[in-house]
Amino acid sequence: RDELVGGLILPSGKEVPTLIEGGASELVIDTTCSVVRDEQSSKKLPDPFVVLVRLKMILLDKTYPYIEISLEPRATLRNELPLSIFIKTLMPHTFATTSNAVSQQQGYEKIHKLEIKESLEVFTSGPSLAISVRCADQIMGGGNTSWMKGMWVDLPMVKEFRLIEPIR
């Protein structure tokens, strides 16, 4: 079984006061985790897994540096619609957050069913996340809805291309 490994260089104890005084008491860093390549192995390596590392830095007694580290998904998609939805993606490392969530793999596509207020966490590497969405509920007096026109929406995952407002 392959293990994903990632690394992070933390600020030194001497750097923390300078960072805090400069207004950088919180840092957010994308950290890529990947399999350490075995040169003798010819098998295909799994896709990299990216986790957002959040560093919150404070000085205890105005002297002693303290760094709180939390690991988070790169993005979270939350169903704020008043009905269940399916989210389809080609990207690896997407996970529904509830234990009763339904996810299925169809070839290269992964389909997640999200109930109202449920979320999808994204740990995919790359500059964007391609998704398609459709209603999951059976519509009264009609047929099932189909996937979005144009098939895919590309959501930016890098700071330079962030959405100014949430998609509604």
Side-chain angles (χ1 to χ4, degrees):
R1 185 173 164 178
D2 295 321
E3 291 185 21
L4 297 172
V5 178
L8 176 68
I9 298 173
L10 296 174
S12 72
K14 292 179 181 179
E15 292 174 311
V16 171
T18 308
L19 288 168
I20 292 172
E21 289 168 8
S25 62
E26 187 170 316
L27 296 175
V28 179
I29 304 163
D30 274 351
T31 301
T32 302
C33 303
S34 56
V35 173
V36 178
R37 182 175 272 285
D38 179 5
E39 297 301 324
Q40 282 93 21
S41 177
S42 61
K43 67 179 181 175
K44 183 184 179 304
L45 296 176
D47 293 306
F49 184 94
V50 179
V51 65
L52 199 94
V53 179
R54 186 175 304 274
L55 306 175
K56 291 182 182 178
M57 299 174 285
I58 60 171
L59 291 176
L60 301 174
D61 293 332
K62 298 182 183 180
T63 306
Y64 305 104
Y66 173 80
I67 301 175
E68 180 181 302
I69 302 171
S70 59
L71 305 177
E72 303 170 5
R74 287 186 75 200
T76 302
L77 304 177
R78 184 174 163 102
N79 180 12
E80 293 288 343
L81 297 171
L83 58 135
S84 303
I85 60 171
F86 286 116
I87 295 181
K88 175 170 58 172
T89 182
L90 295 167
M91 310 311 197
H93 308 307
T94 55
F95 307 97
T97 57
T98 57
S99 59
N100 62 342
V102 177
S103 297
Q104 61 186 30
Q105 191 81 33
Q106 291 182 350
Y108 291 110
E109 298 175 343
K110 193 170 189 181
I111 300 172
H112 304 277
K113 182 179 181 184
L114 298 182
E115 301 295 337
I116 300 166
K117 303 291 185 196
E118 288 184 344
S119 299
L120 182 69
E121 292 183 340
V122 179
F123 296 90
T124 299
S125 64
S128 64
L129 173 70
I131 65 166
S132 189
V133 180
R134 77 175 179 92
C135 296
D137 292 347
Q138 292 283 23
I139 307 301
M140 297 288 287
N144 289 339
T145 56
S146 60
W147 294 103
M148 297 168 25
K149 260 189 174 171
M151 198 57 166
W152 302 104
V153 172
D154 231 5
L155 301 176
M157 299 277 288
V158 291
K159 198 178 284 188
E160 298 82 38
F161 302 107
R162 296 251 185 221
L163 296 174
I164 296 171
E165 294 182 18
I167 294 177
R168 302 206 185 269

